[in-house]
Amino acid sequence: MQNDKVKCGLTEIKEGKYIDDIPIDAYVWFEENWEHDEYEHKHTRYQLTYVAEGYQYFHIEKKIYLVPQNHIIWIPTGKEHRTTSEAKMVHLMVVLFNSVPDDDFYKNVHVSLAPTVLKEMLLYAAKWNKVLIEDNEQQLFLKAMLHSLPNFCEENNGLQIPVPTDSRLIPICNYINTNYRYSFDSDDLATKAKMSVRTLQRIFKHETGITLQKYVQLIRILKSIELIDSQQYTLSEIAYQVGYQSLSAFTSSYASIMKTKPKLKKDMLKK
Protein backbone atom coordinates (compact mmCIF):
# COMPACT_ATOMS: atom_id res chain seq x y z
CA MET A 1 0.00 0.00 0.00
CA GLN A 2 1.20 3.52 -0.69
CA ASN A 3 2.34 5.71 2.13
CA ASP A 4 0.40 8.97 2.63
CA LYS A 5 3.58 11.04 2.37
CA VAL A 6 5.81 9.04 0.01
CA LYS A 7 4.42 8.06 -3.38
CA CYS A 8 6.52 6.22 -5.93
CA GLY A 9 9.52 7.18 -3.83
CA LEU A 10 8.78 10.90 -4.06
CA THR A 11 7.92 12.97 -0.99
CA GLU A 12 4.61 14.83 -1.31
CA ILE A 13 5.00 18.25 0.32
CA LYS A 14 1.46 19.35 -0.56
CA GLU A 15 -1.37 17.95 -2.62
CA GLY A 16 0.07 16.91 -5.99
CA LYS A 17 3.46 18.56 -5.42
CA TYR A 18 6.62 16.54 -4.76
CA ILE A 19 10.22 16.89 -3.67
CA ASP A 20 12.62 14.70 -5.65
CA ASP A 21 15.67 14.06 -3.51
CA ILE A 22 16.40 10.61 -4.96
CA PRO A 23 20.09 10.45 -5.95
CA ILE A 24 19.86 7.95 -8.83
CA ASP A 25 18.82 8.69 -12.41
CA ALA A 26 16.26 5.88 -12.73
CA TYR A 27 14.46 3.52 -10.38
CA VAL A 28 11.60 1.00 -10.20
CA TRP A 29 8.51 1.25 -8.02
CA PHE A 30 6.04 -1.67 -7.99
CA GLU A 31 2.74 -1.67 -6.10
CA GLU A 32 0.06 -4.32 -5.68
CA ASN A 33 -3.52 -3.18 -5.08
CA TRP A 34 -2.67 0.34 -6.23
CA GLU A 35 -4.44 3.21 -4.49
CA HIS A 36 -5.60 6.18 -6.54
CA ASP A 37 -5.46 9.88 -5.75
CA GLU A 38 -8.53 11.84 -6.74
CA TYR A 39 -6.47 14.92 -7.55
CA GLU A 40 -3.98 15.70 -10.30
CA HIS A 41 -0.26 15.61 -9.63
CA LYS A 42 2.94 16.14 -11.54
CA HIS A 43 6.67 15.63 -11.06
CA THR A 44 9.88 16.35 -12.90
CA ARG A 45 10.66 12.71 -13.70
CA TYR A 46 9.56 10.92 -16.84
CA GLN A 47 7.24 8.03 -16.08
CA LEU A 48 6.85 4.60 -17.65
CA THR A 49 3.94 2.63 -16.20
CA TYR A 50 3.24 -1.03 -16.91
CA VAL A 51 -0.18 -2.44 -15.96
CA ALA A 52 0.52 -5.97 -14.77
CA GLU A 53 -3.02 -6.67 -13.52
CA GLY A 54 -6.37 -4.94 -14.03
CA TYR A 55 -6.68 -1.74 -16.03
CA GLN A 56 -6.07 1.95 -15.40
CA TYR A 57 -7.44 5.23 -16.72
CA PHE A 58 -4.93 8.09 -16.94
CA HIS A 59 -6.43 11.59 -17.09
CA ILE A 60 -3.89 13.81 -18.86
CA GLU A 61 -4.76 17.28 -20.14
CA LYS A 62 -7.80 17.02 -22.43
CA LYS A 63 -7.69 13.25 -22.89
CA ILE A 64 -8.34 10.11 -20.90
CA TYR A 65 -6.11 7.15 -21.76
CA LEU A 66 -7.16 3.59 -21.04
CA VAL A 67 -4.21 1.35 -20.22
CA PRO A 68 -5.38 -2.28 -20.05
CA GLN A 69 -3.48 -5.21 -18.59
CA ASN A 70 -0.11 -5.88 -20.30
CA HIS A 71 -0.02 -2.34 -21.72
CA ILE A 72 2.33 0.53 -20.97
CA ILE A 73 1.96 4.29 -20.89
CA TRP A 74 4.77 6.83 -21.21
CA ILE A 75 4.21 10.20 -19.50
CA PRO A 76 6.66 13.06 -20.16
CA THR A 77 8.05 15.25 -17.40
CA GLY A 78 5.81 17.94 -15.92
CA LYS A 79 2.52 16.52 -17.27
CA GLU A 80 -0.31 16.85 -14.76
CA HIS A 81 -2.15 13.55 -14.46
CA ARG A 82 -4.37 11.50 -12.22
CA THR A 83 -5.52 7.88 -12.29
CA THR A 84 -8.85 6.10 -11.85
CA SER A 85 -10.00 2.50 -12.14
CA GLU A 86 -12.98 0.33 -11.25
CA ALA A 87 -10.92 -2.86 -11.48
CA LYS A 88 -11.03 -5.08 -8.40
CA MET A 89 -7.25 -5.29 -8.34
CA VAL A 90 -4.65 -3.07 -10.02
CA HIS A 91 -0.98 -4.03 -10.04
CA LEU A 92 1.31 -1.39 -11.52
CA MET A 93 5.04 -1.19 -12.14
CA VAL A 94 6.39 2.34 -12.50
CA VAL A 95 9.86 3.20 -13.77
CA LEU A 96 10.85 6.84 -13.20
CA PHE A 97 13.64 8.51 -15.17
CA ASN A 98 15.38 11.78 -14.40
CA SER A 99 16.90 12.16 -17.88
CA VAL A 100 16.00 10.80 -21.32
CA PRO A 101 17.53 10.86 -24.82
CA ASP A 102 17.02 13.95 -26.97
CA ASP A 103 14.24 12.48 -29.09
CA ASP A 104 10.70 13.70 -29.80
CA PHE A 105 9.30 10.34 -28.71
CA TYR A 106 9.97 11.09 -25.05
CA LYS A 107 8.14 14.46 -25.21
CA ASN A 108 4.71 12.94 -25.87
CA VAL A 109 2.27 10.57 -24.18
CA HIS A 110 2.28 7.03 -25.62
CA VAL A 111 0.10 3.99 -24.93
CA SER A 112 1.12 0.62 -26.31
CA LEU A 113 0.76 -3.09 -25.81
CA ALA A 114 3.94 -4.27 -24.11
CA PRO A 115 5.69 -6.76 -26.44
CA THR A 116 7.12 -9.93 -24.93
CA VAL A 117 10.70 -8.66 -24.84
CA LEU A 118 9.67 -5.51 -22.94
CA LYS A 119 7.57 -7.50 -20.46
CA GLU A 120 10.55 -9.75 -19.80
CA MET A 121 12.74 -6.72 -19.21
CA LEU A 122 10.21 -5.23 -16.81
CA LEU A 123 9.90 -8.50 -14.91
CA TYR A 124 13.68 -8.65 -14.58
CA ALA A 125 13.79 -5.02 -13.45
CA ALA A 126 11.33 -5.85 -10.65
CA LYS A 127 14.28 -7.19 -8.61
CA TRP A 128 15.26 -3.54 -8.06
CA ASN A 129 11.84 -2.60 -6.70
CA LYS A 130 12.21 0.45 -4.43
CA VAL A 131 16.02 0.30 -4.59
CA LEU A 132 16.94 3.97 -4.35
CA ILE A 133 20.71 3.67 -4.02
CA GLU A 134 23.32 3.49 -6.77
CA ASP A 135 23.53 0.10 -8.48
CA ASN A 136 25.57 -0.06 -11.67
CA GLU A 137 23.69 -2.98 -13.26
CA GLN A 138 20.35 -1.36 -12.43
CA GLN A 139 21.25 1.92 -14.10
CA LEU A 140 22.72 0.30 -17.20
CA PHE A 141 19.72 -2.03 -17.59
CA LEU A 142 17.08 0.68 -17.13
CA LYS A 143 18.95 2.98 -19.52
CA ALA A 144 19.00 0.22 -22.16
CA MET A 145 15.26 -0.28 -21.73
CA LEU A 146 14.68 3.47 -21.99
CA HIS A 147 16.66 3.77 -25.25
CA SER A 148 14.70 0.83 -26.72
CA LEU A 149 11.21 2.20 -25.96
CA PRO A 150 10.67 3.95 -29.32
CA ASN A 151 11.27 0.59 -31.03
CA PHE A 152 9.04 -1.33 -28.61
CA CYS A 153 6.00 0.95 -28.69
CA GLU A 154 3.33 0.29 -31.29
CA GLU A 155 1.00 3.21 -30.68
CA ASN A 156 -2.68 2.46 -30.09
CA ASN A 157 -4.51 5.76 -30.52
CA GLY A 158 -7.81 3.95 -30.11
CA LEU A 159 -7.26 3.88 -26.35
CA GLN A 160 -7.56 7.66 -26.10
CA ILE A 161 -10.88 9.14 -25.01
CA PRO A 162 -11.08 12.77 -26.15
CA VAL A 163 -12.67 15.27 -23.76
CA PRO A 164 -14.30 18.23 -25.56
CA THR A 165 -13.93 21.75 -24.18
CA ASP A 166 -17.16 23.06 -25.73
CA SER A 167 -19.68 23.02 -22.85
CA ARG A 168 -22.51 22.11 -25.24
CA LEU A 169 -20.87 18.76 -25.95
CA ILE A 170 -20.31 17.67 -22.34
CA PRO A 171 -23.97 16.60 -21.81
CA ILE A 172 -23.77 14.62 -25.06
CA CYS A 173 -20.64 12.75 -23.93
CA ASN A 174 -22.15 12.14 -20.50
CA TYR A 175 -25.33 10.81 -22.09
CA ILE A 176 -23.39 8.44 -24.34
CA ASN A 177 -21.18 7.31 -21.44
CA THR A 178 -24.31 6.39 -19.45
CA ASN A 179 -26.44 4.92 -22.25
CA TYR A 180 -23.79 3.28 -24.44
CA ARG A 181 -25.68 -0.02 -24.52
CA TYR A 182 -28.55 1.53 -26.49
CA SER A 183 -28.87 2.73 -30.07
CA PHE A 184 -28.45 6.45 -30.62
CA ASP A 185 -30.48 8.70 -32.87
CA SER A 186 -28.57 11.68 -34.26
CA ASP A 187 -31.69 13.87 -34.09
CA ASP A 188 -32.13 13.15 -30.36
CA LEU A 189 -28.49 13.93 -29.63
CA ALA A 190 -28.72 17.15 -31.62
CA THR A 191 -31.84 18.17 -29.68
CA LYS A 192 -29.99 17.59 -26.39
CA ALA A 193 -27.14 19.77 -27.66
CA LYS A 194 -29.64 22.39 -28.91
CA MET A 195 -28.16 22.46 -32.39
CA SER A 196 -28.74 20.88 -35.78
CA VAL A 197 -27.46 17.38 -36.57
CA ARG A 198 -25.00 18.77 -39.10
CA THR A 199 -23.67 21.37 -36.63
CA LEU A 200 -23.36 18.82 -33.86
CA GLN A 201 -21.42 16.41 -36.06
CA ARG A 202 -19.13 19.19 -37.31
CA ILE A 203 -18.36 20.65 -33.87
CA PHE A 204 -17.93 17.21 -32.26
CA LYS A 205 -15.42 16.15 -34.93
CA HIS A 206 -13.57 19.47 -34.60
CA GLU A 207 -13.42 19.23 -30.78
CA THR A 208 -12.52 15.55 -30.41
CA GLY A 209 -10.96 14.54 -33.71
CA ILE A 210 -13.45 11.68 -34.12
CA THR A 211 -17.08 11.30 -35.20
CA LEU A 212 -19.98 10.71 -32.84
CA GLN A 213 -20.26 7.15 -34.15
CA LYS A 214 -16.59 6.51 -33.44
CA TYR A 215 -16.96 7.94 -29.94
CA VAL A 216 -19.86 5.55 -29.22
CA GLN A 217 -17.80 2.62 -30.51
CA LEU A 218 -14.82 3.65 -28.37
CA ILE A 219 -16.90 3.95 -25.19
CA ARG A 220 -18.51 0.56 -25.81
CA ILE A 221 -15.17 -1.17 -26.27
CA LEU A 222 -13.66 0.47 -23.19
CA LYS A 223 -16.67 -0.62 -21.14
CA SER A 224 -16.26 -4.16 -22.50
CA ILE A 225 -12.67 -4.21 -21.20
CA GLU A 226 -14.01 -3.42 -17.73
CA LEU A 227 -16.54 -6.27 -18.01
CA ILE A 228 -13.90 -8.71 -19.25
CA ASP A 229 -11.76 -7.77 -16.26
CA SER A 230 -14.66 -8.48 -13.86
CA GLN A 231 -14.62 -12.18 -14.91
CA GLN A 232 -18.40 -12.39 -14.45
CA TYR A 233 -19.68 -12.73 -18.00
CA THR A 234 -19.17 -14.64 -21.23
CA LEU A 235 -18.10 -12.73 -24.33
CA SER A 236 -21.63 -13.05 -25.76
CA GLU A 237 -23.09 -11.53 -22.59
CA ILE A 238 -20.54 -8.72 -22.68
CA ALA A 239 -21.31 -8.02 -26.35
CA TYR A 240 -25.02 -7.61 -25.54
CA GLN A 241 -24.37 -5.49 -22.43
CA VAL A 242 -22.30 -2.93 -24.35
CA GLY A 243 -24.78 -2.58 -27.21
CA TYR A 244 -23.90 -5.17 -29.86
CA GLN A 245 -26.52 -7.50 -31.28
CA SER A 246 -24.07 -10.30 -32.05
CA LEU A 247 -20.76 -11.65 -30.82
CA SER A 248 -19.27 -11.35 -34.30
CA ALA A 249 -20.13 -7.63 -34.50
CA PHE A 250 -18.60 -7.06 -31.07
CA THR A 251 -15.46 -9.06 -31.93
CA SER A 252 -14.96 -7.09 -35.15
CA SER A 253 -15.44 -3.74 -33.38
CA TYR A 254 -13.15 -4.75 -30.50
CA ALA A 255 -10.40 -5.86 -32.89
CA SER A 256 -10.55 -2.58 -34.81
CA ILE A 257 -9.80 -0.67 -31.59
CA MET A 258 -7.56 -3.07 -29.66
CA LYS A 259 -5.79 -4.69 -32.65
CA THR A 260 -6.54 -8.12 -31.15
CA LYS A 261 -9.63 -10.26 -30.51
CA PRO A 262 -11.33 -10.13 -27.08
CA LYS A 263 -10.32 -12.92 -24.71
CA LEU A 264 -11.58 -13.94 -21.31
CA LYS A 265 -9.12 -14.56 -18.53
CA LYS A 266 -8.20 -18.16 -17.82
CA ASP A 267 -10.05 -18.17 -14.49
CA MET A 268 -13.27 -17.28 -16.30
CA LEU A 269 -12.77 -20.01 -18.90
CA LYS A 270 -12.63 -22.65 -16.15
CA LYS A 271 -16.11 -21.77 -14.83
Side-chain angles (χ1 to χ4, degrees), residues 60-160:
I60 307 173
E61 296 179 334
K62 296 180 181 180
K63 292 183 178 179
I64 303 171
Y65 299 82
L66 170 66
V67 187
Q69 184 173 343
N70 293 326
H71 281 66
I72 60 168
I73 181 169
W74 173 262
I75 304 176
T77 177
K79 288 278 188 182
E80 285 197 344
H81 58 281
R82 65 183 178 91
T83 57
T84 57
S85 182
E86 296 297 327
K88 293 181 179 179
M89 190 72 66
V90 181
H91 295 174
L92 302 179
M93 176 184 287
V94 178
V95 187
L96 291 160
F97 300 91
N98 200 36
S99 60
V100 300
D102 184 17
D103 187 293
D104 286 344
F105 171 88
Y106 302 98
K107 300 175 184 177
N108 301 296
V109 176
H110 302 281
V111 178
S112 170
L113 177 68
T116 301
V117 63
L118 180 56
K119 284 194 291 184
E120 292 296 328
M121 294 181 77
L122 287 163
L123 290 173
Y124 184 81
K127 74 176 188 175
W128 294 300
N129 187 30
K130 302 180 183 178
V131 175
L132 303 180
I133 57 176
E134 191 69 37
D135 180 293
N136 191 49
E137 184 197 359
Q138 176 196 41
Q139 295 306 300
L140 289 174
F141 187 87
L142 295 180
K143 182 177 290 187
M145 184 167 65
L146 174 66
H147 280 261
S148 298
L149 279 180
N151 299 318
F152 288 148
C153 290
E154 295 183 5
E155 200 80 15
N156 190 342
N157 294 322
L159 297 175
Q160 302 177 17

Side-chain angles (χ1 to χ4, degrees), residues 8-46:
C8 291
L10 303 175
T11 303
E12 188 173 32
I13 54 175
K14 63 179 182 178
E15 192 174 275
K17 305 296 182 182
Y18 299 89
I19 290 178
D20 187 349
D21 54 4
I22 296 172
I24 56 178
D25 187 69
Y27 65 93
V28 177
W29 198 274
F30 177 73
E31 293 277 0
E32 293 188 351
N33 196 17
W34 195 269
E35 292 185 349
H36 309 280
D37 290 325
E38 295 181 354
Y39 53 84
E40 291 186 331
H41 68 276
K42 65 179 180 179
H43 40 75
T44 58
R45 288 189 179 251
Y46 298 79

